[in-house]
Amino acid sequence: MKLRRQKHAKKNMGFYKHNFQFREPFQVLLDGTFCHAALQNKIQIREQLPGYLGGPTQLCTTRCVLKELESLGKPLYGAKLIAQRCEVQNCSHRKDPVSGSACLLSMVEEGNPHHFFVATQDQDLANKVKKKAGVPLLFIIQNTMVLDKPSPKSLAFVQTLQTSQLVPEHQKQSIVQLKEKEGLAKQEGEKRRKRKRAGGPNPLSCLKKKKKTQESKEPSAEKKKRRRKRNRVKTKAVQSVQKNEEE
């Protein structure tokens, strides 16, 4: 089971690395439910997660998650200690804090530009995350951490990219800048301006035309010979008639 789970994690990580440019260290956003489940199942997140994902990780959370855990009191005191050891990411709710699930959801808006993983046991938050392309989901089941398979939204997004061969705008701009640095843009423009010169006549077509002219000339020469022969016959006949009359 452990080897099979590791193979699935490696396959899923390859999908996100190749299609959504996830790179090390992997940033994982934790909420209070995930920290509480890890404490109950005696899972050492900081030690076990890098080996599972296949690279160094950076555990993160938000101020909204910490305030939510503080408000819940003693039952979640251990989960609060785990969350406090994580790096606190800046969110847009400093003045008006929101729930932990709403805060984490806002951190992966607009295509998840910071390439966050979301680690949660909240089923409602997990369903909302699955509706966004390019957001890996982590959860705990049977005393082990599991990286969920790519959501249908992520698979559909990758399929549209492959079929239409779309290139993101930032990549297009970087390609244009690289071409300008290398001087390739000017060379391409000069190549497009050059026009092909009109070539001479095809020698094969010329040969065919010559054959036709020779064939056309041959029957005219034969006609002239025939006419000369007829004229000679006529003159001989006239001469013989004249001799007969003289006699």
Side-chain angles (χ1 to χ4, degrees):
M1 288 295 292
K2 186 177 180 181
L3 290 174
R4 186 183 298 177
R5 188 166 55 249
Q6 195 70 32
K7 286 182 179 179
H8 284 301
K10 187 176 181 181
K11 181 180 177 181
N12 295 334
M13 285 300 300
F15 173 83
Y16 287 109
K17 287 179 181 179
H18 179 70
N19 296 298
F20 294 97
Q21 290 76 46
F22 275 73
R23 295 291 180 267
E24 301 174 2
F26 306 118
Q27 298 186 90
V28 183
L29 285 172
L30 308 178
D31 72 345
T33 61
F34 190 86
C35 295
H36 183 63
L39 184 63
Q40 285 184 332
N41 292 284
K42 299 179 180 179
I43 295 174
Q44 302 293 328
I45 303 173
R46 194 175 298 276
E47 287 76 16
Q48 296 180 20
L49 194 57
Y52 179 66
L53 297 181
T57 59
Q58 186 175 1
L59 302 181
C60 309
T61 190
T62 63
R63 294 177 182 176
C64 295
V65 172
L66 293 174
K67 288 184 177 182
E68 184 180 51
L69 289 172
E70 288 177 1
S71 64
L72 293 174
K74 290 183 179 181
L76 293 177
Y77 178 75
K80 185 186 75 170
L81 292 178
I82 295 173
Q84 285 177 344
R85 295 174 184 174
C86 300
E87 182 180 345
V88 179
Q89 293 286 334
N90 292 325
C91 62
S92 58
H93 314 114
R94 290 184 179 181
K95 295 181 179 180
D96 299 318
V98 297
S99 64
S101 59
C103 185
L104 293 190
L105 196 63
S106 68
M107 296 291 287
V108 294
E109 291 287 349
E110 300 178 358
N112 192 15
H114 299 289
H115 303 96
F116 284 122
F117 289 70
V118 174
T120 183
Q121 298 296 103
D122 187 349
Q123 192 61 40
D124 184 45
L125 175 59
N127 291 333
K128 291 178 180 178
V129 168
K130 289 179 181 180
K131 293 179 181 179
K132 299 181 180 298
V135 184
L137 182 65
L138 281 163
F139 55 88
I140 295 172
I141 185 170
Q142 296 180 356
N143 301 331
T144 56
M145 292 180 289
V146 178
L147 176 63
D148 197 14
K149 62 183 181 180
S151 65
K153 190 75 174 179
S154 297
L155 294 173
F157 179 80
V158 172
Q159 188 175 3
T160 53
L161 283 178
Q162 292 176 349
T163 52
S164 59
Q165 296 181 352
L166 295 176
V167 180
E169 290 297 327
H170 67 278
Q171 289 187 6
K172 287 182 180 179
Q173 292 176 1
S174 61
I175 290 170
V176 172
Q177 290 175 358
L178 287 172
K179 283 185 176 182
E180 289 178 353
K181 287 181 181 179
E182 297 294 333
L184 295 175
K186 294 181 179 180
Q187 291 178 5
E188 288 179 358
E190 290 176 358
K191 287 180 181 179
R192 289 178 183 175
R193 289 175 186 175
K194 290 181 181 179
R195 296 181 180 178
K196 293 182 179 180
R197 295 179 181 178
N202 190 353
L204 296 176
S205 62
C206 295
L207 290 173
K208 288 179 182 178
K209 289 180 180 178
K210 287 179 181 179
K211 287 180 180 179
K212 288 182 180 178
T213 54
Q214 289 176 0
E215 291 174 0
S216 62
K217 286 179 181 179
E218 286 176 358
S220 62
E222 289 178 359
K223 286 179 181 179
K224 287 181 181 180
K225 289 180 181 180
R226 287 177 186 175
R227 285 177 185 174
R228 289 176 185 175
K229 287 180 181 179
R230 287 177 185 175
N231 292 333
R232 289 176 184 176
V233 172
K234 286 180 181 180
T235 53
K236 287 181 180 180
V238 171
Q239 288 175 0
S240 63
V241 171
Q242 287 178 356
K243 287 180 180 180
N244 292 330
E245 287 179 354
E246 287 176 357
E247 293 174 354

